[in-house]
Amino acid sequence: MRVVLATMGTLGDVHPFIALALGMQARGHEPVFAGAESVRGIAERHGIEFHPVRPDGPQLLADTGMDEGEIARALATDFGFVIDRVLVPYAEATLADLMPVIASADLVLTSSFSIHARIAAQAAGVRLASALLQPITLLSAEDPPVLPRGETMLVALRRWFGARAVRPLLRLAERTYARKLRPFAALRARIGAPPFSGNEMLSGPLAVDRAIGLWSPAFAPAPADAPACFVQTGFVFYDGGFAGQGLSAAVEAFLQAGPPPLVFTLGTMAIYAEDGFYAESAEAARRLGRRAVLLVGDDLLTKQQALAGPDVLVVGYAPHSQLFPRAAAVIGHGGIGTTGQAIRAGIPQLVCPIFGDQFDNAARIARAGLGLVLPKRRYTAVRAAEVIERLLGSDAIAGRARQAGADIAVEDAVGRALDALGIDAGS
């Protein structure tokens, strides 16, 4: 079976698709990764066929006239940015890149934002599935999301009045953002794809043959109103990064030189709009008398190196699966990749959400008793030290985190996902 995996975004968006592609290879199938040029090295390192899809990062920076920090801040303040500046302007180019590779596929697996791939698959009559990376994508009225700027109104309405009070507001949100996506209706008509009356970005990922939820019940169980096409599989993991590196000699030496450190990270996008997060984190660790590892991104390593000291290690990247199990706690932004890896490691986490799904992920971590929340806009050394001290002093959180890690250790999430997609061994 030839399967096209189409996604866009940061490593947190890419890694799950690589994990699934490797699982497909192991079952004797042909995965094709369709994404930004920056992912080519990861795919080809594992013998996964790669197909480039525009826009890539340099093109987006050049065309918008923005740097990485400005784009990160735009994402944090304007939910429509990805529609207005990424999805719609490049629709023709993205579709032109995708149509030839999708035409030869037996199955197309897309991420939530891969509208163009869904349209191309429907136009070609190819079986279509979605990989949902976080619970917010279900837009559940029974288990409503915390909204992209941290608003908890829908959660409160569900508690007070039930799901019936939430559904109209979710539908209103879908209609509101659907207006921005109207150019895709014309695109559908032009290439012969069937019309779609819903929101291409919010409800489109659920209007498929199969939707797989790539998160574990230990983090968030499937809600009662999940659609019939939905199967929850658990987290799928890969974290080789762009270069496929393991722990560096410097990281290994630091870990062996003392007690488990605190790990501070903002993933691969929010690092460009960290706005003092790492300096405050280093100071918080010093106030607590704790050792710390700051994951600052390779591009910003030189800039942040001044924060290093005998008990503070500053590095660009380290595989979370190798670093987190040796940490005392993870302090991160709430990206789903980082969140899942911290749960897998069985350690407490402090989530400092900035934008998008991160607020919902943070709320679910707190609800599951796996950690605490301190929004990045309120993050200072003093506040962080106070909350981290409370986090590390909680036997209840430590116990739940260990149990969640143990639960994930026995999941065969990749196998369950492939079974749900009908990708059998040797078929």
Side-chain angles (χ1 to χ4, degrees):
M1 183 185 295
R2 185 172 171 84
V3 184
V4 171
L5 301 96
T7 189
M8 59 184 294
T10 67
L11 287 181
D13 301 286
V14 168
H15 280 169
F17 281 75
I18 295 293
L20 292 173
L22 293 173
M24 293 173 193
Q25 278 185 335
R27 290 192 175 190
H29 299 279
E30 299 177 52
V32 181
F33 194 102
E37 181 64 35
S38 60
V39 184
R40 179 187 292 274
I42 302 176
E44 293 184 345
R45 184 165 67 243
H46 296 290
I48 300 168
E49 182 180 338
F50 178 79
H51 188 85
V53 177
R54 292 169 286 176
D56 59 11
Q59 180 180 5
L60 186 61
L61 295 175
D63 291 350
T64 61
M66 302 168 74
D67 62 26
E68 292 93 339
E70 290 169 327
I71 289 178
R73 292 183 184 91
L75 289 169
T77 57
D78 180 10
F79 182 68
F81 178 84
V82 70
I83 300 173
D84 298 334
R85 304 299 294 273
V86 182
L87 296 178
V88 171
Y90 297 99
E92 293 284 352
T94 305
L95 193 63
D97 292 340
L98 284 166
M99 288 182 69
V101 69
I102 284 176
S104 63
D106 300 299
L107 172 68
V108 174
L109 180 65
T110 72
S111 65
S112 295
F113 287 114
S114 298
I115 298 172
H116 318 79
R118 286 194 290 275
I119 293 175
Q122 290 166 342
V126 176
R127 191 160 65 91
L128 178 61
S130 294
L132 309 179
L133 303 185
Q134 55 275 100
I136 197 172
T137 53
L138 287 176
L139 288 180
S140 169
E142 292 287 354
D143 186 13
V146 173
L147 299 177
R149 292 174 189 163
E151 302 94 335
T152 59
M153 174 187 65
L154 296 180
V155 178
L157 282 175
R158 169 65 179 86
R159 184 168 61 248
W160 295 335
F161 303 111
R164 68 182 184 281
V166 178
R167 288 192 186 94
L169 295 176
L170 292 174
R171 300 293 85 78
L172 177 62
E174 288 188 44
R175 289 194 298 271
T176 298
Y177 284 103
R179 298 187 190 106
K180 290 176 173 285
L181 296 164
R182 283 174 180 165
F184 286 104
L187 205 62
R188 282 179 171 276
R190 184 176 66 76
I191 68 169
F196 182 65
S197 59
N199 183 303
E200 293 274 14
M201 187 169 68
L202 298 180
S203 54
L206 300 174
V208 294
D209 299 307
R210 172 67 74 201
I212 52 174
L214 302 182
W215 64 88
S216 299
F219 173 53
D225 58 347
C229 67
F230 177 77
V231 174
Q232 184 173 16
T233 68
F235 288 111
V236 298
F237 294 106
Y238 172 89
D239 66 337
F242 287 112
Q245 66 268 45
L247 290 179
S248 69
V251 173
E252 184 61 46
F254 185 81
L255 292 172
Q256 291 186 20
L262 303 171
V263 175
F264 297 86
T265 177
L266 290 178
T268 54
M269 183 63 183
I271 53 171
Y272 296 104
E274 59 97 16
D275 298 329
F277 172 84
Y278 288 110
E280 297 292 334
S281 297
E283 176 58 26
R286 292 187 180 103
R287 284 173 175 265
L288 291 166
R290 291 273 182 172
R291 305 167 76 239
V293 175
L294 310 183
L295 300 180
V296 302
D298 291 336
D299 290 350
L300 302 175
L301 184 56
T302 301
K303 174 186 173 183
Q304 302 288 8
Q305 199 62 50
L307 298 174
D311 291 321
V312 177
L313 180 68
V314 179
V315 293
Y317 175 84
H320 293 172
S321 62
Q322 299 177 47
L323 176 60
F324 287 4
R326 301 169 70 179
V330 171
I331 298 87
H333 60 310
I336 195 62
T338 301
T339 300
Q341 288 281 8
I343 300 172
R344 180 193 197 188
I347 59 174
Q349 54 186 302
L350 171 60
V351 186
C352 308
I354 304 170
F355 55 76
D357 64 298
Q358 296 164 10
F359 287 94
D360 188 66
N361 296 336
R364 293 176 188 279
I365 285 294
R367 197 180 308 162
L370 302 175
L372 300 175
V373 179
L374 176 62
K376 182 176 171 290
R377 62 177 177 266
R378 300 186 62 245
Y379 192 90
T380 66
V382 172
R383 288 194 184 110
E386 291 174 350
V387 180
I388 293 169
E389 186 172 40
R390 185 154 40 98
L391 178 74
L392 296 175
S394 173
D395 292 337
I397 291 176
R400 291 190 187 101
R402 284 193 299 271
Q403 184 59 57
D407 291 345
I408 288 176
V410 298
E411 290 179 348
D412 177 18
V414 170
R416 182 165 168 76
L418 298 184
D419 289 345
L421 294 170
I423 303 175
D424 301 325
S427 64

